[in-house]
Amino acid sequence: MSRLKVALLSAALFVPAFSAHADGLTPERVFADPGLNGRAARGVALSPDGQLVTYLKAKDEDQNVLDLWAADVKGGEPHRLIDARALAPADKDLSEAEKARRERMRVSSRGVVEYHWDEEGRFILAPLDGDLWLAQRADGKVRRLTETPGDEVDAKVSPKGTFVSYVRDQNLYVTDLASGREQALSTDGKNTLSWGVAEFVAQEEMDRDTGYWWSPDETKIALTRVDESPVDVIPRLDVGAEGARIIDQRYPRAGRPNAIVELYVHDMARGQKVKVDLGPNTDIYLARVTWSRDGKTLYVQRQSRDQRTLDLLAVDPSTGAARTLLTETSPHWVELTDDFKPLKDGTFLWSSERSGWRHLYLYGADGRVVRQVTTGDWPVDKIEGVDEAKGLVLFGASKDTPLERQLYSVSYKRGGASKPLTQGHGWWTTTVADAGGAFAGTYSDLSTPPRTGLYAPDGKLVRWIEPNTLDASHPYFKYLDQHRAPSFGAVKASDGTDLQYALYTPAGFDPSKKYPVIVSVYGGPHVQNVKRAWGSPNDQLLLQAGYVLFRLDNRGSANRSEAFKTAIDRKLGTVEVEDQLAGVTFLKTLPYVDPNRIGVMGWSYGGFMTLMLLTEKNSPFAAGAAGAPPTDWSLYDTHYTEQFMGKPEENKDGYARSEVIPRLKDLKGDLLLLQGMADDNVTFDNSTRVMEALQAGSRPFETMVYPGQRHGVRGNAKQLHLWRTYLDFFRRKLQPGS
């Protein structure tokens, strides 16, 4: 975001302090096993007593299959708790519901893809290819709980470890672990009616992946009743290698009806349900559901359809009666978070952007503000944990620069300055123990691939979980001589805002030569691409091929001020395009950039941005690769689209400005259009409209479609094909090395 802060940026080249081999990095190696990023710990969790760390780790021979591992915090070698292939040797054909759920959660791996501790720390529940397995901590034994034709979805261990709960065939079930007896808590779920599930937009856009919640004492379960009958049926073509089929998908497009979501509380002893009073207006979003620590109050976050109002309701679970504790409003939109944290004494923590930056607040049980906990011209990213014994809240934030993320603690009882618990000029993600303040942290920077350790409450390293040392045994070691790291800077937006960018120069860089450029773009909300973190090996393929690589976080991107994020309000495809073009203007000032050989590439919102940039008047781009692009926002879903654009009938000019099809007559560069042929998120008609319009205008273009693939292209073989396609297209259009 800035107009070149000082002068030309020199190429950044990471030169290791040790010798490495000079073998060239190839697409075939990038998309092969073991993965070049090394051994990464995913889904890290601490046992409730903080004595055991559990995590998912890919098999060396197949990075797409995950096993469950554990490590004792006191030391000793990590050990495998669940070997996915030993329990399920062959991949099961998952149900459509489970495939859709994993797509919503962006889960592309197989094996153990999720797991859950009970709050007593006795059991770990692991769904595996549609069935459930239970690991007992005491003896390490793993037993199978289910073996049914249907998939058990969204499985959980109840807080005290008495039950396992799950959704199967649109109904909610519980199994008593002692007796093995299964009980259905609902029986009428079928067709358009489901119990205990998160509806499409809740999973895809609201970061709510579940539809039921246990009370702390296991006496009650809050659960949703979802009626999709009002939602339009959008016939979707699902083309696979074996042929094509039509799926009648309930897809709530912008301005059209949503599912009707009701909330009930099921009493386990009486077997009866009480309906929660969510108000007379059914056209709302059930955003979050949380139990109080004593189980006497059910908290519900209710968001208005226009997303400008968010109410926190306190519900009596025995009657369903609700009262409003607080209301958050915005002239733009109120973002959903997981920062609501009820405390033992009835007070609670909450985050808000009312000051212009997201900060934390302590509220009394009556819903009145006690104090603002954090302040400053920087945003809190999220609450990571609470240490009630010490009165501390732990949170992630980018205080000093948006390029780095650290973990901080601050007293919510007294306020005051926050204390950093992590260090290093890079990016931290953390998981904090339920008690005591210890945390598992994963760190990376430009020369450090992700490494995970267990840390004491003061931030001192207790033990490594996955050190992932970049030594001679690391799969990326032999390519270090050619590794390229970025330089960072900022250009100015038209309103004077700083726009952060990352600039990579190619392998064998000679500043006296002219190079083609690839602008890698996303550009949409909720995403930040420019960070001081370990990069993808995919980037290195572009650098090895002879391109300068450039990324810029335009206005509307995440992890900045409220004003920065809402600059796109009701006008998608305008300020983001303007900001990316400002980045290209900067690129053209660099003596080693060939202004006639600039390409752009992006997927999803990045695909939309690619098409908008290629069709901008006087577009500077010679070629672009657009993957799975939304091309008409009236075709996309309600919660996402209406958050930024409102309903189509309320913002006709905004929708018209952002529509790609009328702009295609101004397409300047060469286009490669790509999409999965079973995409249930950005449906295939977004791309077929582009194809038809370009053909009607006799405009040549290239396309690559992927049978059976949804919104992403999954698996090593198809990712290899995708990147070979990218590299071939840009080689022919931008001619690196010439």
Side-chain angles (χ1 to χ4, degrees):
M1 295 185 183
S2 72
R3 176 77 54 212
L4 182 64
K5 266 204 166 164
V6 177
L8 300 180
L9 295 171
S10 61
L13 175 62
F14 170 61
V15 181
F18 40 78
S19 175
H21 302 291
D23 296 347
L25 187 64
T26 65
E28 291 74 18
R29 178 59 192 92
V30 168
F31 302 106
D33 297 311
L36 287 176
N37 287 328
R39 295 181 175 180
R42 313 183 205 178
V44 180
L46 286 157
S47 60
D49 60 8
Q51 298 303 306
L52 197 68
V53 181
T54 48
Y55 57 98
L56 302 175
K57 186 171 74 170
K59 291 182 176 296
D60 287 341
E61 67 274 17
D62 189 343
Q63 61 185 294
N64 293 307
V65 177
L66 304 179
D67 295 327
L68 179 62
W69 286 70
D72 193 300
V73 301
K74 296 178 181 178
E77 288 298 312
H79 58 283
R80 184 162 51 189
L81 284 177
I82 296 180
D83 182 337
R85 284 294 181 236
L87 299 182
D91 289 335
K92 177 182 174 182
D93 187 16
L94 300 174
S95 68
E96 183 63 28
E98 178 63 359
K99 288 178 183 177
R101 182 173 181 268
R102 292 190 181 195
E103 181 69 19
R104 303 284 77 76
M105 297 172 69
R106 303 299 186 262
V107 173
S108 58
S109 301
R110 299 298 295 253
V112 184
V113 298
E114 59 179 315
Y115 66 96
H116 306 275
W117 279 95
D118 71 303
E119 292 183 9
E120 300 290 325
R122 295 184 297 161
F123 304 113
I124 300 172
L125 179 68
L128 182 59
D129 283 354
D131 289 316
L132 304 180
W133 302 78
L134 192 73
Q136 297 181 172
R137 181 179 178 184
D139 57 14
K141 291 182 179 179
V142 179
R143 64 183 172 113
R144 186 172 196 152
L145 295 180
T146 64
E147 189 170 6
T148 61
D151 289 343
E152 281 73 42
V153 175
D154 190 19
K156 304 172 187 177
V157 186
S158 61
K160 295 182 179 298
T162 306
F163 304 97
V164 165
S165 52
Y166 43 88
V167 176
R168 185 174 66 230
D169 298 331
Q170 300 175 237
N171 287 292
L172 182 62
Y173 294 82
V174 298
T175 290
D176 186 299
L177 285 176
S179 67
R181 185 176 70 89
E182 181 182 81
Q183 176 187 359
L185 302 190
S186 66
T187 57
D188 58 340
K190 60 182 178 180
N191 300 324
T192 60
L193 178 63
S194 300
W195 286 91
V197 303
E199 72 277 19
F200 177 90
V201 292
Q203 294 181 43
E204 180 63 40
E205 311 299 357
M206 296 164 57
D207 200 22
R208 176 169 69 78
D209 299 316
T210 190
Y212 72 95
W213 302 263
W214 281 97
S215 66
D217 60 4
E218 299 184 339
T219 63
K220 297 178 177 65
I221 297 182
L223 72 162
T224 58
R225 180 185 186 273
V226 177
D227 179 6
E228 289 190 294
S229 61
V231 180
D232 294 337
V233 174
I234 306 297
R236 173 172 63 82
L237 189 64
D238 187 329
V239 180
E242 296 80 22
R245 59 178 177 152
I246 299 293
I247 294 178
D248 289 332
Q249 181 176 345
R250 296 277 176 175
Y251 189 103
R253 285 179 165 169
R256 299 296 298 156
N258 275 317
I260 297 174
V261 181
E262 298 172 338
L263 185 65
Y264 290 79
V265 177
H266 181 93
D267 188 294
M268 292 294 291
R270 295 188 299 150
Q272 296 178 350
K273 295 179 178 63
V274 171
K275 185 178 180 181
V276 173
D277 181 8
L278 296 179
N281 183 8
T282 61
D283 194 16
I284 51 94
Y285 293 107
L286 179 69
R288 297 287 187 273
V289 177
T290 312
W291 285 93
S292 64
R293 300 290 291 277
D294 60 10
K296 295 180 180 179
T297 303
L298 182 68
Y299 295 106
V300 177
Q301 294 181 46
R302 177 185 63 195
Q303 188 180 47
S304 60
R305 173 72 184 253
D306 66 8
Q307 301 178 59
R308 290 172 171 169
T309 302
L310 180 66
D311 297 312
L312 177 64
L313 308 179
V315 177
D316 182 341
S318 62
T319 66
R323 58 189 175 90
T324 302
L325 273 183
L326 69 87
T327 297
E328 198 80 41
T329 62
S330 168
H332 306 287
W333 59 80
V334 180
E335 286 193 356
L336 302 179
T337 75
D338 292 315
D339 291 337
F340 171 62
K341 301 295 181 185
L343 305 174
K344 288 181 181 178
D345 62 3
T347 63
F348 60 88
L349 292 163
W350 180 264
S351 70
S352 170
E353 292 185 296
R354 67 187 64 147
S355 69
W357 300 87
R358 180 164 300 282
H359 281 295
L360 303 181
Y361 297 80
L362 178 68
Y363 278 79
D366 59 1
R368 296 184 181 181
V369 176
V370 176
R371 68 178 54 86
Q372 184 171 345
V373 178
T374 61
T375 60
D377 291 344
W378 48 270
V380 168
D381 181 35
K382 63 179 291 192
I383 293 178
E384 299 284 5
V386 179
D387 186 345
E388 291 194 63
K390 297 179 180 178
L392 300 175
V393 56
L394 285 71
F395 63 93
S398 301
K399 283 185 63 174
D400 300 324
T401 167
L403 303 179
E404 301 172 7
R405 187 183 192 272
Q406 307 286 345
L407 180 68
Y408 297 87
S409 70
V410 66
S411 171
Y412 58 80
K413 293 182 176 180
R414 299 185 305 274
S418 54
K419 174 185 176 182
L421 299 178
T422 54
Q423 58 186 345
H425 294 292
W427 199 267
W428 283 88
T429 58
T430 56
T431 300
V432 177
D434 292 337
F439 63 93
T442 298
Y443 172 81
S444 81
D445 58 32
L446 300 182
S447 59
T448 307
R451 64 187 186 193
T452 303
L454 177 69
Y455 295 84
D458 61 2
K460 291 182 180 178
L461 179 67
V462 175
R463 65 158 297 161
W464 288 113
I465 299 169
E466 278 292 352
N468 200 20
T469 307
L470 196 51
D471 58 17
S473 66
H474 195 280
Y476 194 69
F477 178 80
K478 66 192 302 184
Y479 307 106
L480 281 176
D481 282 348
Q482 300 170 11
H483 181 79
R484 309 293 293 181
S487 297
F488 296 95
V491 299
K492 291 289 186 185
S494 59
D495 65 355
T497 304
D498 278 349
L499 307 171
Q500 306 294 330
Y501 68 76
L503 176 69
Y504 301 74
T505 53
F509 177 66
D510 181 348
S512 67
K513 294 183 178 180
K514 294 281 189 181
Y515 292 91
V517 179
I518 300 289
V519 175
S520 178
V521 63
Y522 181 77
H526 305 149
V527 172
Q528 177 185 0
N529 275 332
V530 180
K531 306 174 182 178
R532 284 200 181 101
W534 182 256
S536 168
N538 302 12
D539 292 345
Q540 300 298 318
L541 293 177
L542 295 171
L543 303 174
Q544 291 292 322
Y547 300 101
V548 169
L549 178 61
F550 183 76
R551 286 193 178 90
L552 179 142
D553 281 335
N554 49 252
R555 285 172 290 174
S557 301
N559 199 27
R560 298 291 294 275
S561 69
E562 188 258 0
F564 184 92
K565 295 190 293 184
T566 60
I568 60 173
D569 190 14
R570 301 310 186 264
K571 50 186 178 181
L572 296 185
T574 58
V575 295
E576 316 99 288
V577 172
E578 177 187 314
D579 290 352
Q580 293 293 333
L581 292 174
V584 175
T585 299
F586 156 66
L587 284 171
K588 289 182 176 181
T589 67
L590 302 178
Y592 51 84
V593 165
D594 186 338
N596 298 313
R597 292 189 292 160
I598 299 178
V600 59
M601 64 185 296
W603 197 274
S604 193
Y605 202 102
F608 164 70
M609 286 291 291
T610 297
L611 290 173
M612 295 296 283
L613 289 164
L614 287 172
T615 55
E616 187 72 7
K617 286 189 168 86
N618 302 314
S619 172
F621 295 99
T631 59
D632 180 343
W633 287 108
S634 68
L635 301 179
Y636 201 58
D637 70 53
T638 50
H639 193 274
Y640 185 95
T641 309
E642 293 173 15
Q643 180 175 0
F644 312 114
M645 292 288 280
K647 294 181 179 179
E649 64 269 23
E650 300 167 349
N651 184 20
K652 293 181 180 178
D653 289 344
Y655 275 83
R657 281 194 304 267
S658 64
E659 190 176 353
V660 169
I661 305 305
R663 297 168 59 99
L664 291 174
K665 64 182 184 303
D666 297 319
L667 181 68
K668 299 296 190 304
D670 292 308
L671 171 65
L672 169 63
L673 185 65
L674 312 100
Q675 182 146 2
M677 298 186 78
D679 198 329
D680 61 350
N681 181 7
V682 179
T683 51
F684 197 30
D685 51 345
N686 280 272
S687 285
T688 58
R689 290 172 184 233
V690 173
M691 297 175 192
E692 196 281 331
L694 290 174
Q695 290 165 357
S698 300
R699 175 62 196 258
F701 66 100
E702 299 181 29
T703 187
M704 181 58 66
V705 293
Y706 288 89
Q709 298 297 295
R710 300 201 179 202
H711 195 50
V713 176
R714 314 293 189 192
N716 281 347
K718 290 186 178 178
Q719 276 284 307
L720 173 58
H721 183 275
L722 174 65
W723 274 84
R724 281 173 168 168
T725 302
Y726 282 143
L727 292 167
D728 175 69
F729 173 74
F730 285 121
R731 177 187 57 78
R732 289 183 285 106
K733 303 304 179 182
L734 302 182
Q735 300 179 338
S738 62

